Amino acid sequence: MGANLVNAQTSGSKENRLEILHADRLLGGGGFERLKDSVVLKHQNSLIYCDSAHFYGPENLAKLFGRVKIEDQEDPIVVTSRYAEYDGNTQLAKLRNTVVFKNAETTLYTDFLDYDRSNGEANYFNEGKVVDSTNVLTSEKGLYQTQLDKITFNENVILENPDYVMRSNVLFYYTETKIAETEGITNVESTEGNKLNAKRGSFYDTENKVFKFYDGDVETETSTVFGEILLYDELQQYYEAFENVSIYNKERNVEVFGDYGKYWEDIQYSKVYGNALVRKYFEMDTLFMVADTLISQDSEMPEERFLLAFPNMRMIKSELAGRSDSMAYKYADSTIYLFGDPILWNNKSQITADSVHILLANQDIDKALLRGNAFAVTKDTVSNYNQIKGRKMTGYFEEGDIRLLDVEGNGESLYFALENDSTLRGINKLLCGRIIMHFSEKQVSKISHTLKPEASFTPPHMIKDDQKALKGFSWREDERPTMKTINDWRTPKIREEDPFNFFNQPDVQLIYPDNDEIQKLLDNPS
């Protein structure tokens, strides 16, 4: 037939039937009509354009060739391809080769797309790419549910933007909010090289740079943070973690564990609650410490770095063990401060005072300063308790073992003299302004004194029970922390749901640390 002879042809009822609006040429034969050049079809509220088409009137079907375009007149959806088949009965368009599906600001690119106009679902199954103003997403398979503003990506999913690359096998993307949710193992890497991982899926607000990971960890150049539920706000540089939390500072070799934790990356400040445990790694051994709450502050300035533990602190380092209500470790002077009924144990020795300061040198204990009601007890080979007390006491250590105790002010000592380390010869008691107790092979070897001592010796047959202890004596070995104490402190828990519902609380405030507890501990007088 001649050109421009077809301007309008219909096949059956216009309500659900494909309509021919225009073609320059119409050719019959072969069980279908051939439409050539500038073809325009219509189905319901969509216009269909192509270079040529095979029109099957009775079947309400068209095969479209060359520069295919389906344009929705009510929704902002336009889809183009090199070839397509459109079924007017099912409203299914099968588009092939260089397919571009555009919905407002979201564009999908693929070579194999089935678009169901009846429910607004576009399904690709042989690689596809989605691009919007924020992200580029690719996968082997995908389902775009336009009525839900949701795209489900499957197999080798990659989400890219200027800040991060996210990889997963299942990802749900919400085109209006630019939020991505994943299932299963998820890996994210920032342009700076930071790595974020999840084992049980994740949440990523790509515009506000907020993350949520299940069984997740974040690794930066200086730290690693883990939690069964891990929240990360990049703009605030803030982390929040729930259940089996761990925060590892790579530069300081310090790792903190607990049930609930917060970490402010910009100021390198962490706070961990609930059966908290800290491990400070030294070259030769490790300092273990547990408490209800642990606070760590790092800084380029040594005087600004510290570690706090309170209340109910327990610690172990080699042969040294300790407990107190609270503890502060200051990096600048390598000193551990213990407050609130502090006790130290070293081998068979026990030390108590109102406050205890432990000085470290070369990653080991060098000196212990005891202030106020200082009392030291050493158990000998036959279970006698050698005792020394005074206002102020200094303990000197060598290779982790106590070698000397220097008592100043109202010094008193009670020493069980032994022969051959087994036979009691008697009790030496000494009152003096200053007393020095020497140790050898982890036992008391000698007691010396100055400043007019008052000394007495009681032979074995004259010793009474009330002469075996100085006033204030208390052997508290049953309170001594052990590695079992440390291990029992942390009981792993698994929480399948997020009880805090963090992202469904629009008024969540990220509260920065309150320094009251810091000053309370660090400002204590020496």
Side-chain angles (χ1 to χ4, degrees), residues 2 37 55 124 161 218 272 283 296 329 400 407 459 498:
D37 303 327
F55 185 78
Y124 68 85
N161 58 45
V218 177
V272 178
E283 184 176 347
S296 176
Y329 173 53
V407 180
D498 176 4

mmCIF file of all heavy atoms in Angstrom, residues 2 37 55 124 161 218 272 283 296 329 400 407 459 498:
data_model
loop_
_atom_site.group_PDB
_atom_site.id
_atom_site.type_symbol
_atom_site.label_atom_id
_atom_site.label_comp_id
_atom_site.label_asym_id
_atom_site.label_seq_id
_atom_site.Cartn_x
_atom_site.Cartn_y
_atom_site.Cartn_z
ATOM 1 N N GLY A 2 0.355 2.378 -0.464
ATOM 2 C CA GLY A 2 1.152 3.588 -0.556
ATOM 3 C C GLY A 2 1.436 4.196 0.782
ATOM 4 O O GLY A 2 0.794 3.898 1.787
ATOM 5 N N ASP A 37 7.697 2.232 9.151
ATOM 6 C CA ASP A 37 8.097 3.644 9.236
ATOM 7 C C ASP A 37 7.144 4.482 10.105
ATOM 8 O O ASP A 37 5.935 4.538 9.867
ATOM 9 C CB ASP A 37 8.175 4.275 7.846
ATOM 10 C CG ASP A 37 9.134 3.533 6.932
ATOM 11 O OD1 ASP A 37 10.142 3.016 7.460
ATOM 12 O OD2 ASP A 37 8.869 3.481 5.719
ATOM 13 N N PHE A 55 1.892 -6.710 13.461
ATOM 14 C CA PHE A 55 0.694 -6.511 14.259
ATOM 15 C C PHE A 55 -0.239 -7.699 14.087
ATOM 16 O O PHE A 55 -0.717 -7.974 12.990
ATOM 17 C CB PHE A 55 0.004 -5.211 13.836
ATOM 18 C CG PHE A 55 -1.174 -4.853 14.683
ATOM 19 C CD1 PHE A 55 -1.013 -4.285 15.939
ATOM 20 C CD2 PHE A 55 -2.476 -5.082 14.228
ATOM 21 C CE1 PHE A 55 -2.118 -3.946 16.717
ATOM 22 C CE2 PHE A 55 -3.576 -4.758 15.024
ATOM 23 C CZ PHE A 55 -3.392 -4.190 16.262
ATOM 24 N N TYR A 124 14.539 -7.885 35.041
ATOM 25 C CA TYR A 124 15.644 -8.235 34.136
ATOM 26 C C TYR A 124 16.367 -9.460 34.680
ATOM 27 O O TYR A 124 16.388 -9.699 35.880
ATOM 28 C CB TYR A 124 16.608 -7.056 33.919
ATOM 29 C CG TYR A 124 17.430 -6.641 35.103
ATOM 30 C CD1 TYR A 124 18.631 -7.277 35.410
ATOM 31 C CD2 TYR A 124 17.035 -5.570 35.904
ATOM 32 C CE1 TYR A 124 19.409 -6.881 36.485
ATOM 33 C CE2 TYR A 124 17.802 -5.165 36.980
ATOM 34 C CZ TYR A 124 18.990 -5.818 37.269
ATOM 35 O OH TYR A 124 19.757 -5.428 38.333
ATOM 36 N N ASN A 161 28.837 4.628 44.776
ATOM 37 C CA ASN A 161 28.644 6.070 44.782
ATOM 38 C C ASN A 161 30.005 6.715 45.054
ATOM 39 O O ASN A 161 30.993 6.001 45.226
ATOM 40 C CB ASN A 161 27.563 6.491 45.796
ATOM 41 C CG ASN A 161 27.877 6.046 47.211
ATOM 42 O OD1 ASN A 161 29.004 6.184 47.685
ATOM 43 N ND2 ASN A 161 26.872 5.505 47.907
ATOM 44 N N VAL A 218 33.397 -2.673 61.390
ATOM 45 C CA VAL A 218 33.946 -1.570 60.614
ATOM 46 C C VAL A 218 35.430 -1.488 60.920
ATOM 47 O O VAL A 218 35.822 -1.407 62.086
ATOM 48 C CB VAL A 218 33.260 -0.228 60.961
ATOM 49 C CG1 VAL A 218 33.911 0.910 60.198
ATOM 50 C CG2 VAL A 218 31.773 -0.291 60.648
ATOM 51 N N VAL A 272 31.969 1.641 76.738
ATOM 52 C CA VAL A 272 31.378 0.305 76.643
ATOM 53 C C VAL A 272 30.754 -0.057 77.981
ATOM 54 O O VAL A 272 31.380 0.138 79.033
ATOM 55 C CB VAL A 272 32.434 -0.742 76.240
ATOM 56 C CG1 VAL A 272 31.819 -2.130 76.202
ATOM 57 C CG2 VAL A 272 33.030 -0.398 74.884
ATOM 58 N N GLU A 283 54.180 -6.484 74.708
ATOM 59 C CA GLU A 283 55.047 -7.361 73.917
ATOM 60 C C GLU A 283 55.160 -8.752 74.523
ATOM 61 O O GLU A 283 55.146 -9.758 73.814
ATOM 62 C CB GLU A 283 56.437 -6.731 73.794
ATOM 63 C CG GLU A 283 57.388 -7.520 72.903
ATOM 64 C CD GLU A 283 58.716 -6.830 72.712
ATOM 65 O OE1 GLU A 283 58.831 -5.639 73.060
ATOM 66 O OE2 GLU A 283 59.654 -7.487 72.219
ATOM 67 N N SER A 296 37.516 4.743 77.033
ATOM 68 C CA SER A 296 38.856 4.895 76.479
ATOM 69 C C SER A 296 38.918 6.175 75.658
ATOM 70 O O SER A 296 38.023 6.454 74.859
ATOM 71 C CB SER A 296 39.213 3.694 75.590
ATOM 72 O OG SER A 296 40.473 3.882 74.992
ATOM 73 N N TYR A 329 43.800 4.612 83.904
ATOM 74 C CA TYR A 329 45.158 4.396 83.370
ATOM 75 C C TYR A 329 45.508 5.588 82.496
ATOM 76 O O TYR A 329 44.833 5.881 81.521
ATOM 77 C CB TYR A 329 45.220 3.101 82.554
ATOM 78 C CG TYR A 329 46.541 2.888 81.842
ATOM 79 C CD1 TYR A 329 47.743 2.935 82.544
ATOM 80 C CD2 TYR A 329 46.589 2.638 80.468
ATOM 81 C CE1 TYR A 329 48.954 2.733 81.902
ATOM 82 C CE2 TYR A 329 47.798 2.426 79.819
ATOM 83 C CZ TYR A 329 48.976 2.487 80.539
ATOM 84 O OH TYR A 329 50.180 2.292 79.905
ATOM 85 N N GLY A 400 58.361 -8.199 87.087
ATOM 86 C CA GLY A 400 57.012 -8.547 87.499
ATOM 87 C C GLY A 400 56.866 -9.047 88.908
ATOM 88 O O GLY A 400 55.745 -9.243 89.396
ATOM 89 N N VAL A 407 58.139 1.328 103.779
ATOM 90 C CA VAL A 407 57.017 1.890 104.534
ATOM 91 C C VAL A 407 57.478 3.156 105.243
ATOM 92 O O VAL A 407 58.502 3.173 105.919
ATOM 93 C CB VAL A 407 56.478 0.880 105.568
ATOM 94 C CG1 VAL A 407 55.317 1.475 106.336
ATOM 95 C CG2 VAL A 407 56.062 -0.396 104.865
ATOM 96 N N PRO A 459 59.046 -16.258 121.104
ATOM 97 C CA PRO A 459 59.349 -17.628 120.695
ATOM 98 C C PRO A 459 58.057 -18.416 120.463
ATOM 99 O O PRO A 459 56.979 -18.035 120.940
ATOM 100 C CB PRO A 459 60.141 -18.183 121.866
ATOM 101 C CG PRO A 459 59.745 -17.360 123.029
ATOM 102 C CD PRO A 459 59.448 -15.993 122.508
ATOM 103 N N ASP A 498 16.379 -6.348 66.493
ATOM 104 C CA ASP A 498 16.927 -5.079 66.971
ATOM 105 C C ASP A 498 15.935 -4.459 67.955
ATOM 106 O O ASP A 498 14.950 -3.860 67.550
ATOM 107 C CB ASP A 498 17.145 -4.145 65.784
ATOM 108 C CG ASP A 498 17.635 -2.770 66.211
ATOM 109 O OD1 ASP A 498 17.875 -2.584 67.413
ATOM 110 O OD2 ASP A 498 17.773 -1.900 65.345
#
